[in-house]
């Protein structure tokens, strides 16, 4: 493993000396002229000093504005978090904190004003499982997609999925009928559908936030809602420490989980088919996988469907083949072996009400973590520029 960032080197200051005695003047100046020359020299030095301070102030001011603007752009688009407060430089785990209420991708594109209207449009990530297309099939697909997400909410809130379905039915609303559509997104999928709500599930309230592209689920988060409650700093610190320990002890499992999730994103693999179990909710399986990692239990490729496991193996084989570059020149061939084994770095970023574990390899994957309850509570895909 290696650190994601190297510490910037500090350039040594350069001191420029001017030649004080360039040449000697034989004639001696008069006292009056000497006084004038001395006064003029003093004025010149004062003017030079003033200009120096003015230029320095302008440079520092411009530099500050550039840094602030750059930081805002990074947080808006959120490919990776560049600025972190490093607490441990002896491992590949870094730490950061965002104290402001900053939205991460894709929620940075959610309308902040009255333009956030529900139009009845919804994604079609289950369309591949349908053979034909008509109004009846579309209604069936809508219900199938609702049920898909109800399963994930039920698992995350420890609520039977049937009970989640009944709660939405009794409230006369569904997720698919409550989505806000945003077109022409400047970053990531061209069209993004957003859903957010606070639901009473059992004895607790949960905040639910879901974002989808036309063909995939790109962000899911379901965590206990604690609005207005003062943070228990001791419990928060304890949960954060446990997350760091899990990352250190489960790097192999997290590497397999990372491959699995990036495959689901790149292939729009929302549903997989298994001969024994039938159609499988792949993102529900990902939440179960995270729970096993948190509990320190082994879980990996051997527990997922055969079709998905074979796809991951083929994907890894292709990646290894790309890692071996064959360079031809002057009629001779030289094979340069490149280490194709991926390496990852981790950033534990404290947000306002949860922690985001950023797993950074060739791509960046975000995993939401509730330090108060000490469990993972969702995922977030990021897209490269």
């Amino acid at each position: 493993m290696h650190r994601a960032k190297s510490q910037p080197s500090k350039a040594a200051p350069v001191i420029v000396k001017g030649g004080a005695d360039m040449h000697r003047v034989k004639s001696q100046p008069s006292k009056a002229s000497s006084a004038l020359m001395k006064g003029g020299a003093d004025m010149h030095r004062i003017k030079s000093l003033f200009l120096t301070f003015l230029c320095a102030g302008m440079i520092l001011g411009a530099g500050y504005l550039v840094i602030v603007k750059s930081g805002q752009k990074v947080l808006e688009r959120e490919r990776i978090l560049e600025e972190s407060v490093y607490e441990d430089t002896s491992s590949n785990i870094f730490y950061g904190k965002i104290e402001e209420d900053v939205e991460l991708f894709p929620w940075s594109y959610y309308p902040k004003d009255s333009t956030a209207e529900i139009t009845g449009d919804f994604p079609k990530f289950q369309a591949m499982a349908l053979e034909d297309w008509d109004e009846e099939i579309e209604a069936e697909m809508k219900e199938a997609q609702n049920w898909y997400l109800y399963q994930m909410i039920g698992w995350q809130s420890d609520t039977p999925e049937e009970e989640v379905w009944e709660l939405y039915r009794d409230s006369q609303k569904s997720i698919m009928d409550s989505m806000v559509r945003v077109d022409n997104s400047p970053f990531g999928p061209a069209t993004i559908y957003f859903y957010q709500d606070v639901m009473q599930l059992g004895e607790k309230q949960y905040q639910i936030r879901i974002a989808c592209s036309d063909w995939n689920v790109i962000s899911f988060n379901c965590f206990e809602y604690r609005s207005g409650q003062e943070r228990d700093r001791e419990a928060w610190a304890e949960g954060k420490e446990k997350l760091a320990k899990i990352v250190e002890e489960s790097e192999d499992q997290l590497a397999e989980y990372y491959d699995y999730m990036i495959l689901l994103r790149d292939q729009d693999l929302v549903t997989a088919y298994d001969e024994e179990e039938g159609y499988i909710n792949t993102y529900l399986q990902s939440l179960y996988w995270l729970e096993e990692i948190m509990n320190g239990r082994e879980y990996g490729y051997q527990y997922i469907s055969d079709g998905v496991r074979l796809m991951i193996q083929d994907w890894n084989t292709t990646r290894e083949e790309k890692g071996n570059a064959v360079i031809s020149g002057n009629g001779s061939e030289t094979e340069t072996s490149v280490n194709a084994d991926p390496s990852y770095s981790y950033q534990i970023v404290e947000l306002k009400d949860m922690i985001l574990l950023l797993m950074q390899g060739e791509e960046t994957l975000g995993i939401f973590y509730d330090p108060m309850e000490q469990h993972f509570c969702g995922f977030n895909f990021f897209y490269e520029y």
Side-chain angles (χ1 to χ4, degrees):
M1 292 293 179
H2 61 275
R3 296 189 181 91
K5 299 180 186 174
S6 59
Q7 296 296 330
S9 60
K10 295 182 179 179
V14 178
I15 300 175
V16 180
K17 294 183 178 180
D21 298 326
M22 297 299 295
H23 60 275
R24 297 181 182 274
V25 182
K26 292 183 178 179
S27 60
Q28 297 295 325
S30 64
K31 292 184 178 180
S33 61
S34 297
L36 289 173
M37 291 173 63
K38 183 177 180 181
D42 290 340
M43 289 298 295
H44 179 71
R45 283 195 295 269
I46 293 173
K47 183 182 294 184
S48 298
L49 186 62
F50 174 75
L51 291 175
T52 299
F53 280 116
L54 179 62
C55 292
M58 293 175 65
I59 292 171
L60 290 174
Y64 174 78
L65 290 176
V66 169
I67 291 172
V68 170
K69 291 296 183 182
S70 299
Q72 290 175 345
K73 289 296 182 183
V74 168
L75 294 176
E76 285 174 0
R77 297 188 175 181
E78 231 7 81
R79 178 177 61 175
I80 55 175
L81 294 178
E82 298 289 352
E83 297 295 329
S84 294
V85 179
Y86 298 110
E87 297 179 5
D88 183 359
T89 57
S90 63
S91 72
N92 61 337
I93 304 176
F94 303 98
Y95 298 80
K97 182 181 293 186
I98 302 177
E99 297 182 352
E100 298 178 358
D101 191 10
V102 177
E103 290 290 4
L104 306 177
F105 175 86
W107 290 92
S108 53
Y109 295 134
Y110 185 84
K112 300 298 188 297
D113 50 28
S114 59
T115 60
E117 297 179 357
I118 298 172
T119 61
D121 295 323
F122 59 92
K124 299 173 175 60
F125 55 80
Q126 290 281 53
M128 298 300 293
L130 304 176
E131 296 180 359
D132 301 317
W133 188 265
D134 54 32
E135 291 184 0
E136 184 177 345
I137 292 296
E138 181 172 330
E140 181 181 337
M141 182 186 64
K142 182 186 291 187
E143 287 304 311
Q145 293 180 168
N146 280 326
W147 178 251
Y148 186 100
L149 297 173
Y150 296 162
Q151 288 179 304
M152 297 171 65
I153 294 170
W155 170 264
Q156 204 59 57
S157 62
D158 197 23
T159 306
E161 51 201 32
E162 293 83 3
E163 184 176 331
V164 177
W165 179 81
E166 290 175 357
L167 287 171
Y168 274 96
R169 182 199 60 188
D170 294 343
S171 64
Q172 297 184 345
K173 63 181 180 181
S174 72
I175 295 177
M176 291 299 113
D177 289 328
S178 306
M179 286 194 146
V180 174
R181 173 173 173 166
V182 175
D183 290 314
N184 301 318
S185 168
F187 185 59
T191 300
I192 303 177
Y193 303 85
F194 295 96
Y195 170 81
Q196 61 180 349
D197 200 358
V198 175
M199 293 286 292
Q200 183 75 34
L201 298 170
E203 298 180 355
K204 298 180 180 180
Q205 284 189 320
Y206 287 86
Q207 182 166 3
I208 303 166
R209 305 185 86 192
I210 301 169
C212 301
S213 65
D214 278 317
W215 313 111
N216 210 337
V217 181
I218 62 176
S219 181
F220 175 85
N221 193 1
C222 177
F223 64 100
E224 186 177 342
Y225 185 64
R226 306 182 185 92
S227 178
Q229 298 183 21
E230 185 176 352
R231 178 189 297 181
D232 186 335
R233 297 185 181 277
E234 184 177 349
W236 181 283
E238 183 180 338
K240 177 184 171 183
E241 183 178 350
K242 181 177 181 179
L243 174 61
K245 183 178 179 181
I246 289 294
V247 172
E248 290 175 350
E249 296 177 350
S250 308
E251 288 196 51
D252 290 341
Q253 280 213 70
L254 284 170
E256 291 187 351
Y257 176 81
Y258 173 93
D259 285 348
Y260 175 80
M261 293 297 288
I262 297 301
L263 177 69
L264 299 190
R265 189 198 75 171
D266 291 349
Q267 300 295 324
D268 292 327
L269 195 61
V270 178
T271 302
Y273 182 77
D274 184 84
E275 292 184 357
E276 295 183 0
E277 300 183 24
Y279 288 102
I280 296 174
N281 183 328
T282 54
Y283 286 120
L284 176 61
Q285 192 169 50
S286 79
L287 297 177
Y288 178 75
W289 195 337
L290 287 176
E291 187 72 13
E292 295 296 281
I293 292 174
M294 178 56 61
N295 292 327
R297 292 192 289 263
E298 288 294 328
Y299 189 86
Y301 295 151
Q302 68 271 27
Y303 295 104
I304 63 178
S305 65
D306 293 338
V308 175
R309 183 170 61 251
L310 291 173
M311 291 180 71
I312 293 176
Q313 291 174 353
D314 291 342
W315 184 51
N316 285 332
T317 299
T318 301
R319 183 167 56 181
E320 291 174 2
E321 290 174 350
K322 289 182 178 179
N324 296 324
V326 179
I327 304 174
S328 300
N330 298 324
S332 62
E333 294 186 357
T334 303
E335 182 171 312
T336 303
S337 296
V338 180
N339 184 8
D341 293 336
S343 59
Y344 307 98
S345 64
Y346 304 89
Q347 289 193 52
I348 295 178
V349 184
E350 297 181 67
L351 305 178
K352 183 178 179 181
D353 46 14
M354 72 187 72
I355 288 177
L356 176 66
L357 173 63
L358 283 177
M359 190 172 180
Q360 296 173 231
E362 294 180 357
E363 309 282 348
T364 302
L365 172 67
I367 304 173
F368 292 114
Y369 173 76
D370 185 345
M372 308 300 290
E373 295 294 323
Q374 297 189 6
H375 68 76
F376 294 111
C377 53
F379 61 87
N380 198 93
F381 288 125
F382 296 92
Y383 292 80
E384 303 300 319
Y385 286 99

